[in-house]
Structure formats: C-alpha cells, structure tokens
Amino acid sequence: MNQMTNPAATSVAVKDLRLAYGSLTILDDLSLDIGEGEFIVLLGPSGCGKSTLLNCIAGLLDITDGQIWIKGRNVTWEEPKDRGIGMVFQSYALYPQMTVRGNLAFGLKNAGLPRGEIDKRIARAAEILQIQPLLDRKPAALSGGQRQRVAIGRALVRDVDVFLFDEPLSNLDAKLRSELRVEIKRLHQQLRNTMIYVTHDQIEALTLADRIAVMRGGIIQQLADPKTIYNKPANLFVAGFIGSPAMTFLKGQIGERDGVRTFEAGGSTIALDQYRGEVPARGTAVILGVRPEHVAAGHVAAGHGAAGHGAAGHGAAGHGATGAGGAAAKVEIDEPMGSDSLLWLRFAGQALSARAPAEHGFKAGDAVSLGFDISKASLFDTETEQRL
Amino acid sequence: MADPVAAGRAEPRGTRPRRALSRRNVMLYGVLIVVALYYLLPLYVMVVTSLKGMPEIRLGNIFSPPMEITFEPWVKAWSEACTGLNCDGLSRGFWNSVRITVPSVVLSIAIASVNGYALANWRFRGSEVFFAILIFGAFIPYQVMLYPIVIMLREIGLYGTLSGLVLVHTIFGMPILTLLFRNYFASVPEELFKAARVDGAGFWGIYFKIMLPMSLPIFVVAIILQVTGIWNDFLFGVVYTKPDTYPMTVQLNNIVNSVQGVKEYNVNMAATIITGLVPLVIYFISGKLFVRGIAAGAVKG
C-alpha cells in the first residue's frame, strides 16, 4: 500500500487521512487510491471505521489531517455538494414531506438548474430505475425496495462522478436484497461510475466489488480483488472474516519428512509441497487456515492413507489433495445445508470443518480420513498473524 | 402485504357484544361525571353571577340561575371599569396583552427553533457547554433576576415599555424552548440531514425545507406553551410595565382587588372570564391541530 501514485490519475484518492476526536483516533494514516470507474467495497465488522471513511470522502465529517482528492481535485475542505458525489443511505433518508419527484428534484433545485433540465434528468433516472409510476407518491407510500431505488435515483439525477453507498441494502429483507444487489451491479455496468460501497455483508462485497478493502479498527487490512481476498487473505483477521462457512484454523509447527516441509499438529502431518507461498524454516510455530471446501473427508479404507477416497469427488478438494498422513479425524457434528453438508471434525485435537456432499453417509462419531488441498490453504505467522 | 381482512375471515366477525350498563361502565362514567361537575361548578357560579345584577347578587343565592339576565357587567368589565385613573375597562389590558404575547411568542419560537436546530445538527466546538449553560438558566429563580433586569432595561431605555416586556419574555422562554426543539430535531434521523447536505442545501435551506415541514407538532406544543405562559404572566407584567402598558392579568387584579366603593362581583366575574378566554380558545383550537400534527408525524416514512 505504499505505492506512491499521482492523485490526479485516480478517481478518488485518500491520502494519509486522520480522524480523531480529542484523544480518540478513529482513522489513522489511511491511504486509498480508487481508479476511474472502479467498484470498491469497504468491508468490515461494525465499528471498524468503514462508514466513517465514507463520510469523510463525502465531506460530512471534518477530517483532522490528510487530503482527499476526487477527479484530480483536492476537495479536502469543500462542501459535500461541490465534491461531485452522490450518496445512498441505509435508512433511505428520503424527505418525507416531498413526493418522489420532489425528492429527486431537491438537489437539482438547490444547484439552480432550469426547470426543463430538471424534468429531463428525472425522466431519465426514473427510466433507468423503473420508478416512473411512483413519481407522484410520498415516500411513506413506497415499499422498502422502492424507497431505496428512489434514494439511488437521487444520486443518479445529480450526474455525479462518484457514488457512495452506505450499507444501502441492510434494511431490506433477504430476497429484495439480492434483487437490488444485482440491480446495483447492472447500474454500475451501465454507468461506469466510480462507486464506493460500505457493507458488513461479505456476499455483497464478493459479488459486487472490483476490489475489496477489508477494514478493522480503522486500518485497511487488505485491499485486493475478491479472488485474492478469498484465496490469499493477508492475515488471520481477513481469513476469518471472509468466507461462509468460515475458514478453520489449526495450530501447529513446521516439520520435515522425506525432504518435504510438513505441517505438524498433535502427531498428524500434512505435506506442504503444494503450498503457494513461502514455507518457513523447520520448527516455526504456524497457523494453518483451510476453508471447508478444501478439505475432503473420506471413509477410512483398510490400508490407511487413502486420502480423498469416498468423498474425493467433491469440488476441488479431491484434486491436488494431500494425504493427512494417516491421522484420521472424527466426525463430531453434521450440519446439512441443503445442497451440501458441513462436517465438524476433530483433527489432531482441534476443531476443523469440511464440506461434504449432501449424501455423504457419515455419522457423528465416525472416523474419517482427510485430504487437504494445500494449494488453496493459507499459513499464518503465530506472532504477526500475517500470511506467509 | 397480507390482507388483514382476508386473514381474519376464518374467524367470527364483528366486535364482541358489550352491555352498555356493565358495572365497569357505571363506575367509570360515574366517576368521570362527578369529577367533571366538581370542576365545572366554579365556572357555573362565575357565569351565572356575571349575568346577574347587583341587587340579585346581594340575595346570596350564588347557585341559583339569574332571574333577569343582564350583560351590563360584561360591558362594564370590558370598557368601563376603572383602575386608577383609567376608566376604559379591560380592553386596554387586552390589547396590551395581545401586543406583548404575539411578538414574544413569534420571536421566542423563531429564535429557539433555530437554536435547537443548530445545537442538534450543527454541533460546533463548545456547543455542549453552550447548551448546558442555557439549560442552567432555567433553574435560576425569577426573583433573583427581577431587579437586575429592571436596571438593564432602564439602561437600554426599554423600562416600562411593551418592547421591554417582550424582550424579557423572549429571553425567559429560551431555555425550555431550546431544549424542546433540540430534542425534537435530534430525533430526526441524522441521515436525512446528511442527504440534504449532499443535495446541496445549506444551514437555512435544510432548516426551512427539510426540518420545518417535519416539525409542525413541536411548533404547536411550543405555541401552546408560550401563549398560555405569557398571557397568564403576572409577575413580569407588573414589574416591567407602567399602568398604561399593564397586561390584562395585572389589570384584572387591579379591578378585582380595588378597595374603593362596592365590590361588584358580577363585573369581577365577567372580567375574569374574559381574561381566561384567550388561553381557553388557544387550547381548543390548537389542541385539535396538535393531535393532527402528532398523527401526521406518526405516518411519516
């Protein structure tokens, strides 16, 4: 993140942003460059500073130190209306006493646009969002999804460079949420505007984003495209936060067998020759993070070590799976999830989850052999919690 | 959305039959009627007495209706009763009170609503301290400030004038009204305010176009509070004005408490009713508005 880029070349650039209330520092030395037309998602648990960062970019919060550039202009001390941004809020924030048309027109009237231009822009936005029949209704007479459409329209009519979304779908029920999610993605493909989107929902982040900034405690933990975030999480926090069901972590240390580095825990060993990254020296304490879909559980065959046998057909796990060195695990809990099942196992004295086909045939207490797809696993330093 | 009518169709329809004369109803309405009578009785005596001539009053039957209805006492109370050298009745005080109440109410609410709006939405450095000091003002007893204010008004040349009293009422209304408005505006979702800022509305734009249209109920509450408070004020009126500019309450007191000549109970009663009429009318009119305002607020999205 230390790359020095020219703020003029990016759509939105946050430089060394600091925000503090007295001695309480919310954001410290935060830098972020967002490219033209990019869809950035700020993702993190509540209280991580993601909404605060968005409010700083919008100009709704006065920052303590640093600079904010939008479209090559230093807007650090400019009013929100002069920054070329439109914002969509979680609670829709529609003006209750005005009709939908009035809501859309409010910003344009404040900007002093002529009547004809206002009508034209409202007609266009209404067409894009398909809210023409609602134009003369009051917000109270709209459903949640319709209200959020109008709120998006309010940003749309202003013809802004950058769209800011502050958890726009969090107040909607699950079905509407997935509908509007697709709609926002479509809108982005149609308009090609820069969009910054705050959410705590990783599904929204993974589906919408060009790049995701995972935040915790006011610090960007990792900024990367969704695939990288998912497959190569920068640290333990990102690894645990992204993915559902979550990644499980095994504590152990680096060993060696037949010239191949291995992961050793409680007498079991896993070969690490397939690992995409640097395996530290022998004896180093590490944490191995594996996603459930990269663990294959198989029936214990007569001769042991037949990793991936049985359930090996499941997903990628069967593919470059490495034997667990005969240390079979025990099924503790079986969580059927419809299309497949989540198995909670006890492996080397630690909890581990594995995805299995819906008809896996395992019962609680069964002994299973395990196959790991190490090429998709992550090793973390025990001290720094960073990926190795 | 599920249709509540369709959902309820499977069950027995209509309200549960109730007896009009159940024990509960008898108790409830009995108590209500007795309490209502208790409060209405003095009003009845006042109205009845104000419509009697003095000879009839001297007979001593205060509850009996007038044998001969006369409006003489009302006319006298309004335009002829003497207080000191002025013999033009309550009418002078009435117009004084109007001239005091209307600007005081308008001014204090206008200033306090902007105060409350600024304190709730535009937090500035030290706004909390400012607010605390303002609220603290509400707890200082009036008596402590009576005389210092006399001197201040005298120094700025407003002592004894209606404008002086308007100023005093405006200032004394500030703490409670600011508190009222601040709390109301603080309950308006913050995102609405942010959205208006992104839409390019400034301090006054947001106040007039977003906040004001949403706050009818709280304005009605403030108006009721201020009109009744200022109209009924006696202390400030008697201290800061002169006989020419006495508000109605002070004049009423002077009429009723005059020690010279015969006590004209019918005139006193009529004068009292006239004075009390204004807050009464305000309650009746704005009470309805108030309920409508609350209802309108409840439906908002």
Side-chain angles (χ1 to χ4, degrees):
Chain A
M1 264 184 290
N2 284 328
Q3 60 204 27
M4 295 305 285
T5 41
N6 175 13
T10 56
S11 179
V12 177
V14 177
K15 288 173 52 172
D16 309 324
L17 176 69
R18 209 175 96 80
L19 179 78
Y21 298 110
S23 60
L24 180 69
T25 304
I26 312 288
L27 300 172
D28 199 5
D29 233 4
L30 190 145
S31 293
L32 179 65
D33 287 327
I34 298 168
E36 187 61 51
E38 201 176 8
F39 199 122
I40 285 270
V41 171
L42 305 178
L43 177 68
S46 45
C48 72
K50 56 191 192 299
S51 280
T52 311
L53 174 58
L54 196 74
N55 278 308
C56 288
I57 295 173
L60 294 167
L61 283 175
D62 284 338
I63 62 174
T64 314
D65 207 359
Q67 289 180 355
I68 292 165
W69 293 65
I70 294 177
K71 282 265 169 182
R73 231 155 33 89
N74 186 346
V75 295
T76 311
W77 298 111
E78 283 189 24
E79 278 293 301
K81 68 179 162 85
D82 301 322
R83 296 188 176 206
I85 52 132
M87 196 156 173
V88 178
F89 296 92
Q90 180 178 355
S91 65
Y92 326 124
L94 299 179
Y95 314 123
Q97 72 275 13
M98 301 179 193
T99 60
V100 168
R101 192 186 299 279
N103 267 281
L104 296 176
F106 185 66
L108 305 178
K109 280 185 190 157
N110 285 329
L113 258 65
R115 180 94 223 142
E117 175 68 17
I118 294 180
D119 287 343
K120 213 165 71 193
R121 288 209 196 170
I122 290 177
R124 178 175 159 263
E127 198 198 314
I128 292 176
L129 296 166
Q130 311 199 322
I131 50 173
Q132 293 108 322
L134 313 175
L135 281 178
D136 293 312
R137 290 208 210 155
K138 291 272 180 73
L142 303 179
S143 71
Q146 291 171 330
R147 284 181 204 178
Q148 199 52 291
R149 249 173 249 246
V150 175
I152 295 172
R154 204 165 49 182
L156 201 61
V157 288
R158 291 183 55 240
D159 232 356
V160 292
D161 304 319
V162 181
F163 277 76
L164 307 176
F165 294 91
D166 194 356
E167 308 217 15
L169 306 182
S170 299
N171 275 12
L172 301 172
D173 61 58
K175 188 166 170 289
L176 264 174
R177 200 180 302 175
S178 54
E179 276 176 29
L180 242 81
R181 201 171 65 210
V182 173
E183 203 147 324
I184 289 176
K185 187 148 192 172
R186 188 176 297 139
L187 195 69
H188 180 241
Q189 282 173 358
Q190 196 176 339
L191 300 173
R192 286 278 145 218
N193 283 54
T194 307
M195 296 190 175
I196 308 178
Y197 188 107
V198 164
T199 183
H200 59 258
D201 185 324
Q202 49 167 307
I203 302 297
E204 280 173 30
L206 293 168
T207 53
L208 289 171
D210 292 328
R211 280 197 297 164
I212 300 174
V214 183
M215 292 183 68
R216 180 174 65 160
I219 294 164
I220 295 180
Q221 304 286 318
Q222 188 174 11
L223 173 66
D225 61 285
K227 258 199 188 110
T228 309
I229 294 260
Y230 190 79
N231 290 325
K232 291 184 173 176
N235 58 35
L236 217 51
F237 171 76
V238 176
F241 192 75
I242 300 277
S244 173
M247 183 183 262
T248 42
F249 300 105
L250 299 169
K251 282 191 183 134
Q253 57 178 354
I254 299 296
E256 204 170 311
R257 200 171 57 180
D258 308 334
V260 173
R261 294 270 163 80
T262 56
F263 173 82
E264 294 180 344
S268 309
T269 56
I270 303 168
L272 291 176
D273 51 346
Q274 302 274 341
Y275 182 67
R276 302 210 179 135
E278 220 171 293
V279 181
R282 191 175 172 168
T284 317
V286 290
I287 294 169
L288 177 69
V290 272
R291 297 197 183 279
E293 55 265 42
H294 301 143
V295 180
H299 293 281
V300 180
H304 71 73
H309 179 77
H314 178 62
H319 194 64
T322 320
K330 217 166 98 185
V331 178
E332 287 194 322
I333 293 165
D334 170 26
E335 280 187 295
M337 299 170 73
S339 58
D340 49 16
S341 255
L342 190 68
L343 290 174
W344 283 96
L345 312 163
R346 174 89 16 201
F347 169 75
Q350 301 179 52
L352 175 73
S353 63
R355 225 175 237 208
E359 286 86 27
H360 52 67
F362 295 119
K363 296 189 304 292
D366 279 2
V368 291
S369 69
L370 292 178
F372 292 90
D373 184 356
I374 286 300
S375 69
K376 297 214 169 83
S378 296
L379 279 176
F380 301 97
D381 189 297
T382 321
E383 292 287 311
T384 63
E385 302 195 343
Q386 296 295 315
R387 187 175 201 270
L388 295 163
Chain B
M1 209 181 284
D3 185 2
V5 180
R9 204 159 277 161
E11 279 153 40
R13 269 176 290 163
T15 49
R16 185 205 305 225
R18 247 181 292 181
R19 280 182 305 146
L21 269 177
S22 65
R23 179 187 301 222
R24 183 175 162 277
N25 278 359
V26 170
M27 281 296 287
L28 184 68
Y29 288 102
V31 169
L32 285 178
I33 288 166
V34 169
V35 171
L37 283 180
Y38 180 79
Y39 279 100
L40 281 174
L41 201 59
L43 184 67
Y44 167 77
V45 170
M46 284 175 72
V47 173
V48 165
T49 309
S50 74
L51 295 173
K52 288 175 184 170
M54 278 312 287
E56 205 184 321
I57 290 172
R58 287 197 196 94
L59 293 176
N61 300 324
I62 59 164
F63 291 111
S64 67
M67 287 180 284
E68 195 183 336
I69 293 179
T70 167
F71 291 100
E72 193 77 9
W74 287 73
V75 176
K76 193 173 181 191
W78 177 251
S79 56
E80 289 160 23
C82 292
T83 53
L85 295 174
N86 303 321
C87 277
D88 40 15
L90 273 175
S91 58
R92 172 191 294 269
F94 173 82
W95 290 114
N96 281 341
S97 276
V98 170
R99 261 173 271 166
I100 294 164
T101 306
V102 172
S104 304
V105 170
V106 171
L107 257 181
S108 59
I109 290 180
I111 297 174
S113 61
V114 176
N115 269 356
Y117 161 64
L119 286 170
N121 292 314
W122 297 85
R123 305 251 166 81
F124 48 91
R125 192 179 288 270
S127 62
E128 293 299 313
V129 176
F130 178 82
F131 183 61
I133 292 173
L134 197 63
I135 295 308
F136 183 68
F139 297 105
I140 299 175
Y142 288 173
Q143 290 81 341
V144 174
M145 292 190 273
L146 275 183
Y147 187 53
I149 288 177
V150 169
I151 296 173
M152 283 189 235
L153 287 178
R154 189 189 68 202
E155 290 304 310
I156 57 175
L158 288 179
Y159 181 63
T161 64
L162 290 179
S163 332
L165 188 54
V166 168
L167 183 67
V168 171
H169 277 308
T170 304
I171 292 171
F172 274 87
M174 221 31 68
I176 187 72
L177 287 182
T178 302
L179 176 72
L180 201 70
F181 280 106
R182 190 196 87 122
N183 288 353
Y184 185 84
F185 288 134
S187 74
V188 172
E190 201 194 356
E191 293 194 336
L192 213 55
F193 170 77
K194 287 182 177 175
R197 276 191 74 192
V198 171
D199 268 343
F203 185 89
W204 295 108
I206 296 174
Y207 175 73
F208 283 114
K209 291 190 197 137
I210 308 295
M211 294 301 184
L212 270 197
M214 290 180 67
S215 17
L216 182 67
I218 202 67
F219 274 90
V220 173
V221 170
I223 289 171
I224 293 178
L225 213 65
Q226 284 299 84
V227 168
T228 53
I230 294 172
W231 191 273
N232 290 337
D233 162 69
F234 181 85
L235 182 64
F236 291 157
V238 82
V239 173
Y240 300 121
T241 54
K242 297 179 295 206
D244 269 357
T245 49
Y246 275 158
M248 204 174 188
T249 44
V250 177
Q251 223 171 5
L252 171 68
N253 169 69
N254 292 356
I255 290 173
V256 174
N257 284 341
S258 68
V259 282
Q260 288 163 351
V262 197
K263 270 219 186 276
E264 293 178 292
Y265 291 110
N266 48 3
V267 176
N268 293 352
M269 295 299 180
T272 309
I273 293 172
I274 294 172
T275 310
L277 226 45
V278 171
L280 212 60
V281 168
I282 290 287
Y283 274 126
F284 279 131
I285 296 174
S286 56
K288 213 171 195 174
L289 243 178
F290 181 65
V291 173
R292 210 184 298 160
I294 292 278
V299 194
K300 73 163 189 257

